[in-house]
Amino acid sequence: MDVQLLTYLFVGGSFALYIGIAIWSRAASTKEFYIAGGGVSPLANGAATAADWMSAASFISMAGISAYSGYDASVYLMGWTGGYVLLAMLLAPYLRKFGKFTVPDFVGDRYYSSTARTVAVICVLFVSFTYVAGQMRGTGIVFARFLEVDVNVGVIIGMAVVFFYAVLGGMKGITYTQVAQYCVLIFAYLVPAIFLSIMMTGHVLPQTGFGATLLDSAGNDTGVYLLNKLDQVVTDLGFGTYTDGTKSTIDIFFITAALMCGTAGLPHVIVRFFTVPKVRDARVSAGWALFFIALLYTTAPAVGAFARTNLIDTVNETAYEELPAWFYNWENSGLIAWVDKNDDGLVQMRAGNPFAGAPNYVGANDDPAARGSHGERLLNNAPTDNSGEVYIDRDIIVLANPEIGNLPAWVIALVAAGGIAAALSTAAGLLLVISAAISHDLLKKTLMPNISEKQELLAARLSAVVAICIAGYFGVNPPGFVAQVVAFAFGLAAASFFPVIIMGIFYKRMNKEGAISGMVVGLAFTFAYIVYFKFISPEMNTAEHWWLGVSPEGIGTLGMILNFAVAFAVSRFTPPPPEHIQHIVEDIRVPRGAGAAVDH
């Protein structure tokens, strides 16, 4: 059975499973739509949280960043994993004790202010739409290659699938769908990694193969360590040393802190801990989630190293006509391109982008006039003056890895299903958060308090439909590659939500004036900094122009510090919160017992 047919079977089977679960677990009340009825077991919630968390950025982009950034990619591993420790210890049990539906719900009630709730809703929309853009882009990339459709068509297919189980099932449908998606994505990630680890190093575990010596074609130990070979190869080609970092210490610290605190402040992750029956279950499910996430995160650096090594061995200094079929397939999808700058017919991987922007082909794939003298697809892009000839979208490293390593066809199809599961699982969680923020926090709690539960549920579903359409637009017109876009979402979450939640739990004196001021300042500063360096003046996006040497990916930490400082200062010069609010804060900090989520 060929790869294409297997891919259709694997992906189609997974879609049928997800939609079937959504129909089976269709939400009949707002409580089921927002928090799955509050009766999810810690193990299931841990798996669902891991799937919600391990998005296209984790599954598709993490190894791609590791493959090209080497040591610098450690900030993502440390930040995203460390964030779950913060979440489990500082936030999850206390928020579960509070017993609300959403993060703006907590902010609005804790800070006794509809204005604070509205600001929180705005923060949710900023963070969630920034994050969901990466997920829809990831979905389109998977479909573009494995289902042989245009990236934009892939985004639309992804929108349709998410529509079924997010709009019909709400959090109840999403939770059990995400449990299935976690099983699919982790199996799809580990199987090819184990295959490649055995083939290249003789180690079953990729985590140990990452630091092991390589085998030759006969299976004998060469005595050459994988990382040493990779260091030598990439430096010979003009790239930076794989095991050395290029980022400054302060930038690494700020990016890691932004990712950690952003993780603990992400609304679609926090809401998962409202779905368990008891406070203790919130902490236990966070532990399970950390374990499930670590399975992938400790494997990602090895996958990146295996893929980069195999890619260079397979492609570099090879005649274009003699390249393996996978290169042409990815070239046709627009995610790999080659410019023969010295007209020798050899594909040479060197440092530097071969041209500006993404590939823009001269004509159709089957048009002979759109082919160069060696059979390559011609580009409208003007070549750069460096020696780089090969363009590779980093987001394809994991997806192309089984093909590059010449693994069986069923493994290639499995990875396609896993990549789609990862992108769709997080997209659904984010869209539900957006839906809840509009229908529950904006309409029910602020603008239209007298609507019935049935009307609120209808508004939630309509909001989800609109959110899916906007997310699809971002998927078609992405502001960057997947992991980069997601990193910005974490910075925005760290600068807006983390301080207001932490101080809301642990600082009785924090009042509504301080919370609102802190959120507005933190979000505005972080958003403006990112927009300036990434979109208004990208030519200024270098270390010498950054404020205090902090990159846009790490500026969320500075925004968070500003949020804390402004909130604290304003709260000291304005009246303290009412006495009953202070009693609520004292009660939250003793995480024993919790009732069901309430809507009042």
Side-chain angles (χ1 to χ4, degrees):
M1 196 175 293
D2 68 3
V3 173
Q4 200 60 44
L5 182 57
L6 281 168
T7 301
Y8 283 127
L9 288 174
F10 277 56
V11 173
S14 66
F15 279 6
L17 176 63
Y18 306 152
I19 294 171
I21 291 172
I23 295 171
W24 165 74
S25 57
R26 191 171 188 268
S29 67
T30 53
K31 186 175 180 181
E32 289 184 343
F33 193 89
Y34 294 140
I35 58 170
V40 181
S41 73
L43 179 61
N45 193 53
T49 304
D52 207 353
W53 170 249
M54 289 191 296
S55 59
S58 293
F59 189 96
I60 297 175
S61 281
M62 176 68 77
I65 295 173
S66 180
Y68 279 86
S69 301
Y71 178 82
D72 284 340
S74 62
V75 296
Y76 295 97
L77 298 170
M78 294 186 294
W80 284 342
T81 309
Y84 261 91
V85 178
L86 276 181
L87 192 58
M89 299 302 293
L90 290 180
L91 300 183
Y94 305 107
L95 289 172
R96 177 62 191 87
K97 177 72 181 290
F98 196 73
K100 288 294 177 179
F101 285 157
T102 66
V103 174
D105 228 0
F106 168 80
V107 173
D109 285 11
R110 164 59 182 87
Y111 295 109
Y112 52 97
S113 167
S114 60
T115 303
R117 186 189 302 275
T118 303
V119 173
V121 168
I122 293 169
C123 292
V124 163
L125 297 179
F126 263 103
V127 172
S128 299
F129 276 122
T130 304
Y131 201 154
V132 82
Q135 310 319 308
M136 301 313 293
R137 166 68 174 165
T139 304
I141 288 172
V142 176
F143 281 123
R145 166 61 189 91
F146 292 108
L147 299 187
E148 295 185 350
V149 296
D150 184 75
V151 172
N152 297 344
V153 175
V155 170
I156 294 169
I157 296 173
M159 289 166 60
V161 176
V162 171
F163 171 84
F164 271 99
Y165 67 82
V167 175
L168 282 179
M171 180 59 82
K172 187 178 178 183
I174 286 172
T175 296
Y176 296 107
T177 302
Q178 286 174 335
V179 173
Q181 286 169 330
Y182 176 77
C183 296
V184 172
L185 75 87
I186 199 65
F187 192 60
Y189 203 88
L190 293 180
V191 167
I194 291 169
F195 260 108
L196 290 170
S197 185
I198 294 172
M199 290 168 56
M200 296 177 68
T201 68
H203 287 240
V204 174
L205 296 178
Q207 292 88 341
T208 58
F210 183 53
T213 53
L214 292 165
L215 304 178
D216 61 19
S217 57
N220 300 314
D221 192 339
T222 63
V224 178
Y225 284 93
L226 168 67
L227 291 178
N228 287 346
K229 178 184 177 180
L230 195 51
D231 263 348
Q232 182 64 51
V233 170
V234 296
T235 51
D236 286 348
L237 296 178
F239 297 96
T241 308
Y242 190 79
T243 53
D244 287 340
T246 59
K247 296 182 182 296
S248 65
T249 302
I250 189 171
D251 199 27
I252 286 178
F253 173 81
F254 271 72
I255 293 174
T256 303
L259 294 173
M260 286 181 66
C261 297
T263 298
L266 279 177
H268 76 289
V269 174
I270 290 173
V271 75
R272 289 240 50 93
F273 297 102
F274 298 152
T275 66
V276 292
K278 297 180 295 187
V279 169
R280 179 180 178 275
D281 295 336
R283 200 184 294 276
V284 172
S285 63
W288 276 115
L290 190 59
F291 168 74
F292 290 139
I293 290 164
L295 289 178
L296 188 147
Y297 275 29
T298 56
T299 306
V303 171
F306 295 153
R308 186 87 184 271
T309 303
N310 283 334
L311 184 64
I312 294 172
D313 286 346
T314 305
V315 172
N316 190 48
E317 300 296 344
T318 302
Y320 179 82
E321 296 92 336
E322 298 173 6
L323 288 170
W326 65 261
F327 189 97
Y328 309 129
N329 291 334
W330 283 105
E331 184 183 40
N332 290 336
S333 69
L335 300 171
I336 285 181
W338 173 58
V339 178
D340 192 9
K341 292 184 176 179
N342 54 12
D343 198 29
D344 62 356
L346 298 178
V347 178
Q348 292 160 332
M349 301 183 71
R350 300 290 187 271
N353 293 321
F355 47 79
N360 178 14
Y361 294 120
V362 168
N365 177 38
D366 55 358
D367 182 3
R371 295 278 176 175
S373 57
H374 302 287
E376 77 277 13
R377 294 194 66 174
L378 296 176
L379 296 152
N380 290 314
N381 309 65
T384 53
D385 57 3
N386 58 48
S387 57
E389 289 190 349
V390 182
Y391 167 90
I392 299 176
D393 190 310
R394 297 181 188 184
D395 289 339
I396 71 167
I397 288 297
V398 167
L399 302 176
N401 200 23
E403 296 174 283
I404 297 171
N406 201 28
L407 298 185
W410 67 269
V411 178
I412 298 170
L414 179 64
V415 169
I420 292 170
L424 294 182
S425 63
T426 302
L430 288 163
L431 291 167
L432 184 69
V433 164
I434 294 167
S435 167
I438 295 171
S439 61
H440 181 70
D441 296 301
L442 199 58
L443 294 181
K444 175 68 174 176
K445 288 301 186 76
T446 307
L447 301 178
M448 303 166 65
N450 296 321
I451 61 172
S452 66
E453 181 174 332
K454 185 176 180 180
Q455 289 172 319
E456 185 183 349
L457 188 59
L458 176 62
R461 289 193 162 116
L462 291 175
S463 300
V465 171
V466 174
I468 288 170
C469 294
I470 296 173
Y473 172 81
F474 283 130
V476 173
N477 301 281
F481 68 91
V482 176
Q484 183 186 59
V485 172
V486 169
F488 298 151
F490 283 85
L492 294 172
S496 57
F497 281 124
F498 185 72
V500 80
I501 294 173
I502 285 291
M503 290 189 290
I505 294 171
F506 295 103
Y507 184 40
K508 286 196 302 181
R509 184 66 175 73
M510 181 51 56
N511 59 16
K512 63 180 180 181
E513 291 85 0
I516 294 169
S517 302
M519 281 192 292
V520 170
V521 169
L523 182 67
F525 169 79
T526 306
F527 184 75
Y529 193 92
I530 290 172
V531 168
Y532 177 76
F533 282 111
K534 286 295 181 179
F535 304 107
I536 296 176
S537 300
E539 70 281 357
M540 302 283 284
N541 190 24
T542 55
E544 59 266 25
H545 295 114
W546 295 336
W547 195 23
L548 303 178
V550 180
S551 66
E553 288 79 4
I555 201 62
T557 300
L558 199 52
M560 178 183 68
I561 294 170
L562 286 174
N563 187 333
F564 272 118
V566 169
F568 181 79
V570 171
S571 71
R572 301 306 295 179
F573 291 98
T574 47
E579 190 173 343
H580 76 277
I581 296 294
Q582 298 189 44
H583 287 316
I584 289 174
V585 175
E586 287 179 350
D587 186 54
I588 292 173
R589 288 209 300 265
V590 183
R592 292 192 302 268
V598 291
D599 183 17
H600 57 65

